[in-house]
Structures are given as C-alpha cells and as structure tokens.
C-alpha cells in the first residue's frame, strides 16, 4: 500500500523559507509516477504547486515557480519542497501526492499524504 | 480564482441522489481528463473518479462521473451521512499559464 507522510516545521517566519519533506513507503519513487505538492489554505480550496519525476523533470504552477524548489532523493525515497520568501498568504496545509502525468500534462493524484499545517507568522 | 466553477453547496436526504457540476472551458475540461476528489472533514483529499468516469479500486459504484463538452458532473446515489464533505474536480489547463487546476469545491450536506 502506497503511503506518504509530510514532515517539517509547523511555524515559519515571514520572508523565510518553508521546507517540507514527504516520505514515501510501499512504493519506489523511481517506479514510473510523478510526485506532487498541493496546498490548501485554512477554509479554502486546493492549489497545485508542482509535480516532479525522479529524473528531475517537472510540471510547475507558473504563479509559484519563482519561489518554489521541488526535488527528490531516490536514496531515501523522499521528495522535498522549499518555498522562499513566505508571507501569511502561504499559511496552508501542504499535501504531497502521487501524480499520474504524461508528456504534456498531469491528470490524477491518486495517493495523498495526511497533510502538514504550516503557519507563517512572526 | 479557479478556472473551474462548482456550486458552493448541494444537499439531499439520506438515500437520495446529488449531482455536482464542474464548468470549465476548451482549455481544460474540453480537452483533458477530469478527476473528482472527496475531502471529508479534517482529512486529506481522496481520489473518487479519474479519466472522467473511472473509479479507483475500493470506490463504490454509488459514485459516478461524466463529461460533456466543457463540463463534468459527479453523481452520488444512495446518499449516506458519511458522504458529507467537500468535493473538488480537477484537470489540466492548457492556457498560457499551463497548470493543474482544481475546482472551487462543493460542500455536500446530508439533511
């Protein structure tokens, strides 16, 4: 059974960098799927951030790309998210998920982590 | 502001049927597969429907999906109290800012 678990600091100061890790178990991240990050501000809807293949190929959200770095560590079966220069608007639950993507687009997020709440506040 | 529009809420009595619409354009729904996700209170989203109308293993056939033109629809029959939560459509958007987009979300209430 594919399982994903997000981890990282729950509180980040404004202008600093938000860093999260997603640990994947029950499936190798090198086995043919992309892996993505999605966030959800409290009481609001879902926003896709980026999806990455283990080779480094990515699909990204243009509205966030300038502040986002997503990477994979195949030795640890993990992916990570860094979001720079955060503001209160970046306060959200951050989810990692397995993504089905083809050459030009992504279609499905079929397995999700439980989510990690990150609050941006001084 | 999402490019996929859903009704804010729908409701029905237990055992009844609800439908949730997802309206988009030829940049997204019209030319891409649609998914539906269920988010029960306090939990992560869960994939309900993929490729417009396919159910992942373990999803009961009370849930169905369809697509016509630039709109998609999720149907839930035999409504149960455990179905209360938020439902989101999702698909790829091929506009200038190509990205995966989610719908605005619909809250399902079982009366």
């Amino acid at each position: 059974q594919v399982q994903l678990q997000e981890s990282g600091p729950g509180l980040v100061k404004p202008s600093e960098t938000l860093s999260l890790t997603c640990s994947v178990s029950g499936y190798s991240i090198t086995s043919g799927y992309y892996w993505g990050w999605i966030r959800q501000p409290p009481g609001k809807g879902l926003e896709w951030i980026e999806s990455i293949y283990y080779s480094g190929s990515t699909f990204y959200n243009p509205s966030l790309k300038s502040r986002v770095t997503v990477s994979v560590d195949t030795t640890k079966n993990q992916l990570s998210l860094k979001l720079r220069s955060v503001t209160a608007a970046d306060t959200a639950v951050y989810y990692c998920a397995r993504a089905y993507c083809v050459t030009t687009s992504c279609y499905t997020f079929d397995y999700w982590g439980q989510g990690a709440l990150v609050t941006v506040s001084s | 502001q999402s490019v996929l529009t859903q009704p804010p809420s729908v409701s029905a009595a237990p055992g009844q049927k609800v439908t949730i619409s997802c309206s988009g354009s030829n940049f997204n729904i019209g030319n891409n597969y649609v998914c539906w996700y269920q988010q029960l209170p306090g939990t992560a989203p869960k994939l309900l429907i993929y490729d417009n109308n396919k159910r992942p293993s373990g999803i009961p056939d009370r849930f169905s999906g369809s697509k016509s033109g630039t709109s998609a629809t999720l149907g839930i029959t035999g409504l149960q109290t455990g179905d209360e939560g938020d439902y989101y459509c999702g698909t790829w958007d091929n506009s200038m800012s190509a990205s995966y987009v989610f719908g605005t979300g619909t809250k399902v209430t079982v009366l």
Side-chain angles (χ1 to χ4, degrees):
Chain A
Q1 178 74 342
V2 182
Q3 293 184 315
L4 301 92
Q5 177 70 58
E6 303 88 351
S7 60
L11 181 64
V12 180
K13 290 182 169 54
S15 80
E16 296 190 345
T17 297
L18 177 160
S19 296
L20 291 173
T21 297
C22 174
S23 298
V24 180
S25 59
Y27 196 87
S28 171
I29 64 171
T30 63
S31 294
Y33 279 84
Y34 278 70
W35 304 85
W37 290 97
I38 300 106
R39 69 180 182 177
Q40 184 173 36
K44 297 188 178 181
L46 301 166
E47 180 181 33
W48 172 70
I49 300 171
E50 188 161 327
S51 297
I52 186 168
Y53 198 59
Y54 77 94
S55 64
S57 174
T58 65
F59 292 95
Y60 58 85
N61 186 331
S63 68
L64 294 169
K65 180 55 180 172
S66 64
R67 298 194 292 132
V68 169
T69 299
V70 174
S71 59
V72 295
D73 185 334
T74 58
T75 64
K76 296 181 178 179
N77 219 40
Q78 293 177 337
L79 61 156
S80 66
L81 168 70
K82 293 187 186 299
L83 178 63
R84 295 175 291 278
S85 304
V86 297
T87 70
D90 295 308
T91 294
V93 175
Y94 286 78
Y95 297 100
C96 57
R98 192 176 78 168
Y100 176 72
C101 304
V102 294
T103 308
T104 57
S105 56
C106 292
Y107 286 128
T108 303
F109 296 97
D110 59 356
Y111 288 94
W112 295 63
Q114 66 184 32
L117 174 62
V118 180
T119 301
V120 178
S121 175
S122 55
Chain B
Q1 188 79 359
S2 176
V3 297
L4 302 180
T5 302
Q6 300 178 229
S9 63
V10 297
S11 61
Q16 298 300 302
K17 174 181 179 179
V18 295
T19 60
I20 301 170
S21 60
C22 177
S23 178
S25 71
N26 284 320
F27 285 118
N28 40 69
I29 293 177
N31 285 285
N32 291 291
Y33 288 115
V34 177
C35 290
W36 289 92
Y37 303 90
Q38 175 194 59
Q39 187 174 34
L40 301 179
T43 69
K46 174 184 177 180
L47 179 66
L48 272 186
I49 298 288
Y50 68 101
D51 288 0
N52 302 331
N53 55 18
K54 297 181 174 65
R55 289 186 309 276
S57 173
I59 300 299
D61 59 6
R62 300 188 299 107
F63 297 93
S64 63
S66 64
K67 189 181 96 166
S68 178
T70 59
S71 292
T73 301
L74 173 70
I76 310 174
T77 59
L79 200 61
Q80 301 175 359
T81 56
D83 297 331
E84 279 205 340
D86 297 319
Y87 292 77
Y88 295 91
C89 57
T91 188
W92 188 259
D93 185 274
N94 296 104
S95 64
M96 286 185 62
S97 299
S99 62
Y100 193 89
V101 290
F102 292 96
T104 50
T106 298
K107 181 173 181 57
V108 171
T109 300
V110 182
L111 301 173

